[in-house]
Amino acid sequence: MTINDIVKETITTMTKKRLPMTPDNYAENFCAIAKEKGFVVEECKSVSRFIQKLNTAIQSDLSKYNVNTQDELLTYLVSSLNRLMGQSEGKQSLVLIALVKRLLQSISLLHNKEAKELAAASLERIEYLADQNTFTLIKEKWMDFLGQYDATPVKKLKAYFDIKSDDFAEIVDQMIEKMQQQDDSTVLEPLAMLIVATLTPSIASSMNDELATLSYELRHSPKILATKEVQDEILLLTKKRVSLDKNEVKERIASLDNLLGNVSSKIVNLIDKSNLSRGQIKDIKDELIALDYTKHSFDTMKEKLVTIANSLEIETDSMVNVMKHDESVVKNLQLKVKKLELALTKAKKETRKDFLTNLISKRGLDEDLNRVDKSYERYGIDYSICFFDIDHFKMLNDTFGHEAGDVVLKQVGALMNQTKRDVDMVGRYGGEEFLAILPNTPLPGALVFAEKIRKEIADFAFLYKGERIAVTVSGGVTNRKDFDSQKVMIEGADALLYQAKEAGRNRVFPADA
């Protein structure tokens, strides 16, 4: 039997007896069951401890009554004091003391740590000594608590969830309702990816660029799936996909038909190239039809057929040899084409990667900038950019050599790559200048990212041939919604970068955002 078992049995017993679920009823039933089960609970002995502190006369009088709870003990003491005092003022004081204790007990049940602790301390003080000094001290403590009470957490919740009520229970209910409404994004995200995956497998490949743009937009902002514009675009892409696939199938069937025609021509050519002409084949056919078995033996017929078969076999072998030679040529051509395709694919990938830093190249960054700006123009998906430039890089090259400069560039690229999020795009914009593209990131968040990059680089120990090199970067950060065009936004970030340089380097601008 554990304390949890006693709690469960207490609740079950009170439910069966239809008792109100009050603290006193619960305590009385809990202690009775714990005593019955032989389970020692210190809280259940509180009444006995209080009685032992009273004088022997009162203890003797108490033994005449069945006093089990604090309320019953309090009632007895109030009654005894009333009898002793015999004055209305004394009675009123005892009632007020009982009221204060009950209020403090109620406060101890509230969901506020400071209030519960102060209520418990006040009750303990009253139990020890209920005089005027005690109540004056308690009053001052509670006045201090009210003066320092901080309702900021509730205000934050109300502002974040747009809650109008001041009641804690209503605030919780409205928060749950708001959170349930926000759960739509968890449904839209996998649905968005499912739609893209459904459209992608196809025969025709001419829509791959359009699908890549739609996939990027849905992946970074699934909620746009609920907009009519995106739904219409998906419907249009679906119809276009079906139409393109139908045309592709027709073209491939036509190509197959041409291929079969070529095969047929090859067979005709085989017959034409054979030693037997069509007339000879027709003569043999006519001769077989008009064959009189009384005049021609089977051996004669067999000899004629074997002659035709041998001629066709010779021509077939010749054609097979030609085909084998052609097949070898075709295979060699296929290998060359495959090598060229692999080289082309590798070249395309390499154009998006900077060989020294393994980051995105200038060309790749331009492509990514165009893609995120299209999403901004069409759906309002905001983004920020951060320009970084290594401070005194020319001096570094002149002092330690260009090889040391390459080491620094490579390490700076590695630090940026390991600091960014999966959705962020970081690349080398040129020379010692780097660019980070941060989708769905407002200016304050972009400044946090830029400051983190700056600090990571400033704190990192750059070593070249055992010698430490001090490296810092300056940065300029802008947000798309603050500018009329992407070009102006990029120029703004570049200008802020040089402001950071002029202000002393190793800093990020704007500094007061």
Side-chain angles (χ1 to χ4, degrees), residues 178-195:
K178 297 286 184 181
M179 292 173 69
Q180 288 174 343
Q181 293 174 357
Q182 294 173 356
D183 283 343
D184 291 343
S185 60
T186 60
V187 177
L188 290 175
E189 184 172 352
L191 181 59
M193 294 302 98
L194 181 61
I195 289 174

Side-chain angles (χ1 to χ4, degrees), residues 196 199-200 207-216 237 241:
V196 173
L199 287 172
T200 301
M207 285 178 59
N208 288 346
D209 292 340
E210 295 177 81
L211 286 175
T213 301
L214 178 63
S215 174
Y216 175 85
L237 285 175
R241 168 64 77 198

Side-chain angles (χ1 to χ4, degrees), residues 274-294:
S274 67
N275 295 327
L276 296 175
S277 65
R278 293 177 183 270
Q280 288 174 310
I281 295 174
K282 186 176 183 301
D283 291 340
I284 294 172
K285 180 180 178 182
D286 293 339
E287 185 178 353
L288 289 172
I289 293 173
L291 185 63
D292 185 357
Y293 291 100
T294 61

Side-chain angles (χ1 to χ4, degrees), residues 387-404:
F387 266 121
F388 298 98
D389 189 271
I390 300 176
D391 298 328
H392 301 299
F393 187 75
K394 184 178 184 303
M395 184 185 299
L396 187 151
N397 274 335
D398 295 339
T399 304
F400 299 96
H402 288 279
E403 185 178 347

Side-chain angles (χ1 to χ4, degrees), residues 306-323:
V306 168
T307 301
I308 295 173
N310 287 337
S311 299
L312 291 174
E313 183 179 5
I314 292 171
E315 293 300 325
T316 302
D317 289 341
S318 176
M319 184 176 181
V320 167
N321 291 331
V322 173
M323 290 177 66

